[in-house]
Amino acid sequence: MSFDQHQKDGLTIGGRTVSSRLFLGTGRFPSPAVMQQALEQCGADVITFAVRRVNLDWVQDDAILQHLEDRGLTYLPNTSGATNAAEAVRIANLARAAGLGSWIKVEISANPRTLLPDPIETLKATELLTLAGFTVLPYTSDDPVLCKRLEEVGAAAVMPGGSPIGTGLGILNPYNIGLIVEEANVPIIVDAGLGSAVDAAQAAELGADGILVNTPIAKAKDPVAMAKAMAMAFEAGRLSRAAGRIPRKRYASASSTPEGVSEAYWAGGDPGSGSVSQERSAAGRADTGLQAGRGADLPVKVKGG
Amino acid sequence: MGKMREFSLYVITGEQYHPGRSMLEVMEAALAGGADIVQLREKNMPASELLEKARALRELTRRYNVPFIVNDHPDIALAAEADGVHLGQEDMPIAEARERMGADRIIGISTHAIEEARAAERDGADYIGVGPVFPTGTKPGRQAVTTSYVRQVADEIRIPWVAIGGITPDNADQVLAAGASRLCAVSAIVGSSDPASVCRRLKEQIAAARGERVTIKLNGREELVRAGTLEELIQSYGLADKRIVAELDGVIVQRNRWESTQVRAGMTLELVHFVGGG
């Protein structure tokens, strides 16, 4: 697959195909203008936001949607603030009443310090909201069994966290993310905890279908550049995964053939005086020894640089 | 107002509108919904039976601490210890009723033209009925006086007056807009399967028209707001054109229902919108 074809390979969730695999959270940006520029740079067409009380004292309060309507985006409101399934259902209904579709990110935190999702309530809410006709994308722990259970009760996509929200610790358990991807029949979106482009690429290499990013972009020194970097990194990671990475090895394998190494004029003889030359000669012999000895039992595939 | 306490929703009996349900049951529902003055009206009934009903209704209205008026019959009003009597233009003159009822009882009279209203005020009526505003089955054949008479009375008459005749929650706002601040309904209330909720609705409409202020819980705090529609309330906060969602006592109110939803004292309103989030 060429890079261009690869990029056109859209992601379908709940019957809707989105072109960008980076979902952008809209919180904590320095200004709405920066958020919009970041949105343009990363090309996201799914954006998330939260439901909160209107500020009665300051109605100029900048509601996030004022800046985003008429862009043909897919809206993914979250249920943040909910601590149980019933509260999540209520917030989901409020969000749907705003008339911007019926996608919902279930987000139920029980612990204010870690904001880690409550697995039991998340499962309940996912089931209830699916029955109520929502397209449900639960934010969940990176537990392969739980992720499967969420899929079974109707999640349109499952969104395991890489690490706690806003920490930037990256993917703490890549093994689990890999297993979750292997088992899944719905898209897997790595949500929360990513820190920079490297984490985006890793998520993609592990097989994630997308990432949901907010803090690492919004709080980067240059959010607009980071938005682009993370979107590119995710696509790079996906292409890399498709390309097939090499197996990990314990020792080096040269990228050029050992034959035909040009020898120095003093090779095999006395190079003359001077300690520097003597050391060089010793190093040369050591290399030869490795290649002839321990190196021989390792598979050597020489493909060049 | 002296012996007349302030009232806003006057309910009159009409047993022909609720076959199968007792008068007391229906009137109790109306009282529960906020009727704050009640009249017994029975045109063709033997005096003994009428007195029996009057006593029962007296008992009921006393429990709700609401004034009780008997139509046409000062003697029955007195015998049943009613608070007053209501006269028609064809009944005995106010002076005669006053003589029989004494100074402390309420005397009201129906009026259909401004001259009658002026006369009633001059003759010492405690309140007048103004109507029928719309054609009504309760007074078939009588020409409706329309809201223009309501407007005349609002401009000129200083004793308490209540608009009556064919008034329902659907047309009440027209009558209130013409200047009425008290409404009377018969069939719309007693003919309803849920008299209490019709009363509540009418009371809310009256409170809104009077511009009363009520305390509600809005986004978690006590707010003193003008009674009116939800639309007006949201407008008063400058939020009508924003993409917000309203939840009233735990139930989402769709935007197209804001106009027909009344703000009531004690209700819990949540107004939410979208903010940045991940």
Side-chain angles (χ1 to χ4, degrees), chain A residues 21 38 49 75 111 218 240 282:
Chain A
R21 289 164 180 272
F49 38 82
Y75 299 97
N111 182 328
S240 164

Side-chain angles (χ1 to χ4, degrees), chain A residues 44-108:
Chain A
D45 45 18
V46 177
I47 54 162
T48 66
F49 38 82
V51 176
R52 289 292 182 271
R53 281 172 169 166
V54 168
N55 183 346
L56 299 171
D57 301 319
W58 187 36
V59 291
Q60 270 65 41
D61 193 11
D62 231 342
I64 198 75
L65 281 172
Q66 279 172 248
H67 307 279
L68 296 174
E69 287 190 76
D70 313 319
R71 278 173 178 251
L73 299 167
T74 295
Y75 299 97
L76 178 59
N78 67 38
T79 65
S80 67
T83 58
N84 59 46
E87 288 170 13
V89 168
R90 172 177 171 259
I91 294 171
N93 281 317
L94 288 170
R96 184 159 67 175
L100 293 173
S102 56
W103 282 34
I104 191 78
K105 168 179 164 178
V106 172
E107 179 177 342
I108 303 175

Side-chain angles (χ1 to χ4, degrees), chain B residues 133-134 147 150 163-164 167 171-180 182-183:
Chain B
V133 182
F134 304 108
T147 51
V150 173
I164 180 172
I167 295 173
N171 62 27
D173 286 338
Q174 293 173 49
V175 186
L176 294 164
R182 300 177 195 88
L183 301 180

Side-chain angles (χ1 to χ4, degrees), chain A residues 25-27 48-54 57 59 63-65 69 78 90 93-94 98 100 105 214, chain B residues 218-221 223 237-239 242-245 247 252 254 270-278:
Chain A
T26 54
T48 66
F49 38 82
V51 176
R52 289 292 182 271
R53 281 172 169 166
V54 168
D57 301 319
V59 291
I64 198 75
L65 281 172
E69 287 190 76
N78 67 38
R90 172 177 171 259
N93 281 317
L94 288 170
L100 293 173
K105 168 179 164 178
N214 189 345
Chain B
L218 177 52
N219 283 2
R221 68 186 201 196
E223 291 273 295
Y237 283 95
L239 295 168
K242 304 258 194 272
R243 190 178 283 278
I244 65 164
V245 176
E247 185 199 54
I252 293 168
Q254 299 295 338
E270 290 283 317
L271 298 177
V272 301
H273 66 158
F274 294 122
V275 300

Side-chain angles (χ1 to χ4, degrees), chain B residues 109-129:
Chain B
I109 183 166
S110 301
T111 68
H112 318 294
I114 193 67
E115 296 75 24
E116 292 174 356
R118 286 176 192 143
E121 186 168 37
R122 191 183 57 233
D123 295 347
D126 294 300
Y127 75 90
I128 59 172

Side-chain angles (χ1 to χ4, degrees), chain A residues 104-210:
Chain A
I104 191 78
K105 168 179 164 178
V106 172
E107 179 177 342
I108 303 175
S109 302
N111 182 328
R113 200 157 60 89
T114 64
L115 296 177
L116 285 171
D118 181 320
I120 294 160
E121 296 297 320
T122 299
L123 184 66
K124 271 191 219 166
T126 299
E127 182 164 23
L128 289 169
L129 290 168
T130 301
L131 289 172
F134 285 87
T135 296
V136 188
L137 292 82
Y139 159 59
T140 175
S141 352
D142 57 354
D143 180 286
V145 178
L146 176 59
C147 287
K148 197 63 193 170
R149 293 289 298 273
L150 288 164
E151 176 186 323
E152 286 164 5
V153 298
V158 176
M159 307 206 291
S163 51
I165 294 169
T167 58
L169 293 172
I171 297 176
L172 294 181
N173 195 339
Y175 175 81
N176 268 16
I177 297 291
L179 274 188
I180 290 165
V181 167
E182 257 181 68
E183 295 291 316
N185 295 314
V186 294
I188 299 297
I189 313 294
V190 174
D191 177 8
L194 304 187
S196 70
V198 65
D199 301 327
Q202 187 189 15
E205 289 210 19
L206 288 167
D209 299 282

